[in-house]
Amino acid sequence: MKNNQSLHLLKPFILFTGLCLGLSFISLAQVTQPKGLQLSNVTKVARLTGTPLETENLPSPNNTAKAYDVGGTDLGIFWQMKGSKVGIFFGDTHGREFVAEKGGKGGGNGANWRSNVLAFSSDDHLEDGITIDSMALDQNGSAREICAGGKTNPQKYNTSIPTAAIRVNNTDYVHYMNIYDWAGGNGRWLTNFSSLYASTDDGKTWMRKNEVTFKGDSKFSQVCYAKRDGYVFMIGSLSGRGGPGYLARIKEKDMLNLGHYEYWNGNTNQWEKGDESKATVVIPSPIGEASLIFHEKYKKWIIAYSYDSAYDPSAKSKFHALAYRDANEINGKWSDLKILADVNQFKGLYCPYIYPLRNNEDQLYFTMSQWEPYNVYLMKADIELK
């Protein structure tokens, strides 16, 4: 009877000890080894701009050279407009006379250069590519420049390149950088300033918003945008592909009030209002031409960007790639750098801009530019947790 009583008294201790051991096992196996996103099986879905090459065997739903005088271009920055409509900003653009792979050098050539142009699409069936519904046109029927570019002030402006766009309270905004020299050294492009244009009529007309102007050496010379919980979040960098990434946010209602922008400081773990200098690094260098999304299915933030190992002191080899990282919280710890695709797969690749309307699936769609033939392609990658 005494032994049984002792055993009875020990049962809670044994149960508690066993429970603790079980919890320890679970924490070691699961909690300390959180799963991260893996993007794999990257493939070209279709050509988005220009004229197909003879060697290409891809869908090409848009003859942008013939229809819009867009023969060669790059970027392909998506953002969701009204409903299921998306806008697509492109960078330096050349007209119908553009010749792909001219002299094997890539890049632009041909007449009617514009610093940037804009397309619209309501095609959300991406398996065979994206059909462009229309572009913002000039009086001659050619895609027109939206952000004032090099021709508007040739003594000071080289070009004006869109970096991100977003719709807030029925207004569409594009952030752009005004460049005066592409060869700034150490992966830098030199800018006069970065600023916003806005449209209140669904992209028909645009006006410069001088009240949001970043200086030429701003940590937010280039940005990527994403909305969540009433805020517009942006990860920014110096212009170019050599610097790190910084984090800021702004309440949607204050989009045009630069003094209300808040910058994440990882040293104090606080948002610092109105003082860009307080922003600390959230993405290690090098980062360039980034896009940002919160994936609803996997509950993860994803940032994708151009990566040049020449500006990465930890790189063991030299190469260009499209890279990505993921995080549970945008101001939390981001994963190590992961390679989405590299130059061995797609020659002259850059600019992975994520399509915003398919963020609840097992595939991630994005655009990719190639320096040769200087055009934009729709891409797809599989997503899984590992």
Side-chain angles (χ1 to χ4, degrees):
M1 180 69 178
K2 188 175 181 180
N3 289 339
N4 288 341
Q5 186 178 10
S6 298
L7 182 60
H8 177 74
L9 293 173
L10 284 170
K11 278 182 179 179
F13 176 77
I14 295 170
L15 179 61
F16 177 75
T17 304
L19 182 60
C20 288
L21 287 172
L23 287 175
S24 297
F25 176 78
I26 290 172
S27 66
L28 287 172
Q30 297 176 9
V31 178
T32 60
Q33 297 178 7
K35 291 184 176 181
L37 282 181
Q38 179 171 313
L39 304 180
S40 60
N41 299 324
V42 176
T43 57
K44 273 185 179 180
V45 177
R47 175 184 273 264
L48 181 57
T49 62
T51 304
L53 303 176
E54 292 182 2
T55 55
E56 286 180 350
N57 184 23
L58 290 169
S60 183
N62 310 296
N63 190 337
T64 59
K66 181 178 180 181
Y68 305 112
D69 197 20
V70 176
T73 192
D74 65 356
L75 304 188
I77 300 170
F78 290 118
W79 85 100
Q80 182 177 3
M81 301 182 73
K82 186 176 181 179
S84 61
K85 179 180 178 181
V86 297
I88 316 170
F89 263 107
F90 299 99
D92 282 312
T93 297
H94 301 266
R96 296 183 179 92
E97 296 82 4
F98 171 81
V99 179
E101 303 174 291
K102 182 178 181 181
K105 297 179 180 179
N109 62 78
N112 197 18
W113 164 59
R114 290 137 288 171
S115 288
N116 49 85
V117 295
L118 171 60
F120 308 101
S121 176
S122 57
D123 180 9
D124 193 29
H125 300 284
L126 307 186
E127 291 74 15
D128 59 352
I130 295 178
T131 298
I132 291 174
D133 298 333
S134 62
M135 296 191 75
L137 303 177
D138 63 19
Q139 59 185 4
N140 298 317
S142 296
R144 75 172 189 271
E145 189 173 273
I146 301 298
C147 307
K151 291 181 290 187
T152 61
N153 191 348
Q155 297 302 315
K156 293 184 177 181
Y157 298 177
N158 182 309
T159 189
S160 288
I161 303 298
T163 77
I166 199 162
R167 185 178 181 89
V168 180
N169 296 329
N170 299 317
T171 299
D172 295 292
Y173 296 96
V174 59
H175 175 286
Y176 75 103
M177 53 184 171
N178 181 270
I179 291 176
Y180 71 85
D181 192 347
W182 287 105
N186 296 318
R188 285 289 309 279
W189 308 324
L190 303 182
T191 56
N192 293 299
F193 60 85
S194 296
S195 188
L196 303 182
Y197 271 74
S199 172
T200 57
D201 56 7
D202 295 325
K204 296 181 181 68
T205 60
W206 295 79
M207 290 188 64
R208 164 87 187 274
K209 295 298 177 182
N210 296 283
E211 55 266 50
V212 179
T213 299
F214 299 92
K215 295 180 180 179
D217 60 352
S218 171
K219 297 173 181 177
F220 298 88
S221 295
Q222 297 181 103
V223 305
C224 49
Y225 286 134
K227 289 193 299 184
R228 190 161 180 82
D229 301 327
Y231 284 92
V232 175
F233 292 94
M234 64 180 191
I235 293 180
S237 64
L238 293 167
S239 56
R241 298 175 184 158
Y246 305 86
L247 174 62
R249 70 179 185 181
I250 182 66
K251 290 181 179 177
E252 292 185 29
K253 65 182 181 67
D254 293 329
M255 187 70 181
L256 292 178
N257 190 335
L258 188 57
H260 284 199
Y261 279 55
E262 297 178 311
Y263 304 92
W264 178 250
N265 186 294
N267 298 323
T268 63
N269 286 326
Q270 292 182 342
W271 294 98
E272 304 285 354
K273 187 175 180 179
D275 187 354
E276 178 191 319
S277 69
K278 296 293 181 63
T280 58
V281 173
V282 294
I283 304 289
S285 59
I287 177 175
E289 300 149 323
S291 59
L292 180 68
I293 195 170
F294 183 79
H295 199 281
E296 294 292 345
K297 178 172 181 177
Y298 293 103
K299 304 302 179 186
K300 294 272 192 180
W301 289 95
I302 305 172
I303 185 170
Y305 54 92
S306 298
Y307 169 82
D308 187 341
S309 67
Y311 309 111
D312 185 350
S314 67
K316 296 179 180 179
S317 60
K318 301 300 181 183
F319 64 99
H320 294 266
L322 305 183
Y324 71 99
R325 298 174 189 258
D326 58 90
N328 294 326
E329 302 293 338
I330 195 167
N331 59 342
K333 180 177 175 56
W334 287 83
S335 71
D336 292 339
L337 179 140
K338 306 173 189 179
I339 300 301
L340 182 60
D342 64 31
V343 291
N344 294 317
Q345 298 167 276
F346 307 105
K347 182 180 178 181
L349 80 176
Y350 60 110
C351 294
Y353 292 113
I354 300 170
Y355 183 81
L357 300 185
R358 303 285 282 271
N359 65 339
N360 198 26
E361 302 177 359
D362 293 323
Q363 287 80 36
L364 190 77
Y365 287 88
F366 60 97
T367 51
M368 177 188 74
S369 299
Q370 287 185 275
W371 183 244
E372 183 183 313
Y374 197 63
N375 267 285
V376 182
Y377 294 85
L378 180 67
M379 310 293 290
K380 180 177 71 171
D382 293 333
I383 311 176
E384 59 183 329
L385 282 175
K386 279 202 161 186

